[in-house]
Amino acid sequence: MQLRAQRALLLAALLAGAVASPSVATADAGQFDLYSTLFYEFGGPLEMLVINPRANLRIDPADELTLNVSYDADIVSGASVAIVDAPSADVDAISSASLTDFRSVVTGGFQARSQYGSLRASYSYGFENDYRSHSFTVGARTDLFERNTTFDLSYARGFDQVCNLNQPRVQEAVERRRLDSSEGCFDDTDTDRASLDIDLQTFQGSWTQAWAPIFVTQATVTAQLVDGFQSNPYRAVWLGRSAAQENHPEHRFRYAGALAARLWIEPLSGALQASGRAYRDNWDVRSITAELAYEQSIDGALRFRVRGRYYRQGAAAFFSDDYALRPRGQYFTGDRELSDMESYLAGAQLIWTVTPGSEGASLGPFQSFRLVLAGAFVHHEFPSFRYGRVGVPNNNSINATLGLEVVF
């Protein structure tokens, strides 16, 4: 969720990476955003490249109404691990040659406003070779006390389906085979494939408070219920004499609380931002996140932001680095993101806004152009996760974003 208003120079920066356009009424008639993000995870033979193009169109047919439509895609390529925790000293021995996938998400929505607040709703449909998703989101926001206090509530509901092998005669999880490919998925004539349901419900509430013209805080509480098949159908785990498709619990309850603050430093025309987040779920995964950022305004048209983030996570209750020697009940996983984990992020962002008359620019029918450049380097540590006897080689990643926003 992102927060926007005219006084949102303070408010929006409470949200990490918030660079998109305002969702409240302005004098413009609409806005078009075009973004492309590149994610590259590297190390050894398990490299992964994801390109994420996004386009969003917002139109204000009336002062009280905004309409949105957007398209989002993921283009994925790289090596994948089919069987983890295998008894091999060579990661190449347990990685397939390549993985390619293409995901698309189409979203439409609206926001209605009045002097008391706003209501919004949206619907998204996502599809790829082995996954389908339908989701809707509704939300409400109100500003109080001369817009110094903002409350926002939202609810999201997802109806997803994931492809898996059809194995009706297999009674025990340790006998289930992994899915070898997405061929035949969602094909009613292919009896070797089955569609499994995943239901998601997400609740979120936030309170944003401007304590002074230079100091704003935001508190956010989030809860999510997930029911259904939550394993990776392609991933198998070595259990001693054989490998079986990983087996996760079908019910997961997640909840998190976050607190953020922004302090405007007038002599520097810059802002110091700090945030923290605590998370836990019923799989006994616990995490903390701390982030510190500084944003500098240069001649009004240029903004530069740097940030650093630390993340620490504990393992799920059923995680083990060797299920043959140390089984943890009926569930077993090969997901490294359910193990003990730490990560360190360093990033920077540059936003350049051009308006009529600035630097002698003539924009014709357009009110402004905004160019966004962002990048980050992330390093992960997995102290208790191994591919056989080999540590995780692909524990570094780079994120890069290029965006253009046009207001008309």
Side-chain angles (χ1 to χ4, degrees):
M1 177 179 53
Q2 294 176 332
L3 202 67
R4 310 180 168 82
Q6 273 205 325
R7 301 173 68 183
L9 181 60
L10 294 176
L11 301 181
L14 294 172
L15 308 174
V19 296
S21 61
S23 60
V24 296
T26 62
D28 53 86
Q31 180 168 325
F32 178 71
D33 303 336
L34 187 62
Y35 277 82
S36 182
T37 298
L38 180 145
F39 170 81
Y40 178 55
E41 184 181 76
F42 55 95
L46 302 181
E47 297 178 350
M48 181 70 67
L49 177 65
V50 182
I51 300 175
N52 172 223
R54 311 189 299 277
N56 179 73
L57 176 64
R58 189 206 81 204
I59 297 177
D60 298 332
D63 291 341
E64 300 81 12
L65 181 65
T66 294
L67 303 177
N68 295 312
V69 61
S70 65
Y71 174 77
D72 194 322
D74 278 332
I75 306 167
V76 184
S77 63
S80 66
V81 176
I83 300 178
V84 300
D85 200 23
S88 171
D90 185 2
V91 179
D92 283 316
I94 58 171
S95 64
S96 63
S98 64
L99 167 70
T100 57
D101 204 354
F102 185 86
R103 178 188 68 95
S104 294
V105 179
V106 180
T107 302
F110 73 92
Q111 183 183 70
R113 296 175 295 274
S114 74
Q115 59 179 326
Y116 303 106
S118 63
L119 298 173
R120 63 186 183 275
S122 65
Y123 166 78
S124 296
Y125 173 59
F127 55 95
E128 53 190 294
N129 292 337
D130 52 14
Y131 206 92
R132 298 285 186 271
S133 68
H134 298 268
S135 63
F136 69 85
T137 302
V138 294
R141 167 181 166 157
T142 185
D143 297 317
L144 305 172
F145 308 117
E146 298 182 352
R147 299 186 180 274
N148 289 317
T149 301
T150 299
F151 293 104
D152 193 292
L153 297 174
S154 65
Y155 171 74
R157 186 77 164 89
F159 305 89
D160 297 2
Q161 287 187 316
V162 60
C163 177
N164 198 8
L165 279 179
N166 186 20
Q167 305 178 71
R169 298 182 180 179
V170 175
Q171 302 298 320
E172 301 294 333
V174 295
E175 299 175 353
R176 292 177 187 155
R177 295 179 294 121
R178 70 177 185 88
L179 183 66
D180 56 351
S181 75
S182 61
E183 184 177 352
C185 287
F186 302 110
D187 183 350
D188 294 337
T189 64
D190 192 331
T191 59
D192 292 332
R193 299 291 187 262
S195 299
L196 305 180
D197 293 333
I198 308 174
D199 294 328
L200 304 96
Q201 298 187 71
T202 305
F203 308 83
Q204 181 166 291
S206 70
W207 166 37
T208 304
Q209 183 66 48
W211 302 97
I214 63 170
F215 183 63
V216 177
T217 61
Q218 184 181 77
T220 304
V221 177
T222 306
Q224 184 180 67
L225 301 171
V226 186
D227 293 302
F229 182 80
Q230 299 181 55
S231 307
N232 185 328
Y234 298 99
R235 185 186 291 130
V237 178
W238 188 257
L239 300 177
R241 297 184 178 180
S242 63
Q245 184 184 76
E246 70 174 4
N247 185 35
H248 291 178
E250 291 191 351
H251 307 287
R252 192 174 191 181
F253 174 52
R254 303 169 168 175
Y255 51 96
L259 182 63
R262 175 183 170 106
L263 175 66
W264 177 261
I265 305 173
E266 184 62 35
L268 300 177
S269 295
L272 184 64
Q273 305 155 25
S275 63
R277 180 178 182 268
Y279 165 93
R280 186 174 182 178
D281 61 31
N282 65 325
W283 292 5
D284 205 31
V285 176
R286 309 181 190 190
S287 72
I288 57 170
T289 307
E291 180 166 328
L292 186 64
Y294 178 76
E295 183 175 313
Q296 180 67 53
S297 177
I298 305 173
D299 295 330
L302 194 64
R303 282 189 290 149
F304 181 71
R305 185 173 186 263
V306 293
R307 66 186 179 115
R309 188 187 69 197
Y310 171 75
Y311 176 81
R312 176 72 176 93
Q313 172 186 296
F318 54 89
F319 173 80
S320 173
D321 62 347
D322 191 336
Y323 286 98
L325 296 177
R326 289 180 292 275
R328 304 298 297 271
Q330 62 179 314
Y331 303 113
F332 42 92
T333 182
D335 189 349
R336 68 183 191 181
E337 295 186 6
L338 291 177
S339 69
D340 294 302
M341 180 172 61
E342 282 185 305
S343 72
Y344 306 86
L345 177 147
Q349 181 184 76
L350 183 67
I351 303 175
W352 180 39
T353 303
V354 179
T355 56
S358 64
E359 302 181 7
S362 176
L363 304 183
F366 303 108
Q367 294 197 21
S368 69
F369 288 93
R370 176 178 294 170
L371 181 66
V372 179
L373 298 172
F377 173 80
V378 185
H379 173 73
H380 292 277
E381 294 287 348
F382 302 93
S384 61
F385 188 90
R386 296 288 184 273
Y387 294 120
R389 296 186 295 273
V390 178
V392 177
N394 53 327
N395 60 346
N396 293 314
S397 63
I398 295 174
N399 295 274
T401 297
L402 173 62
L404 176 66
E405 302 177 2
V406 180
V407 177
F408 52 87

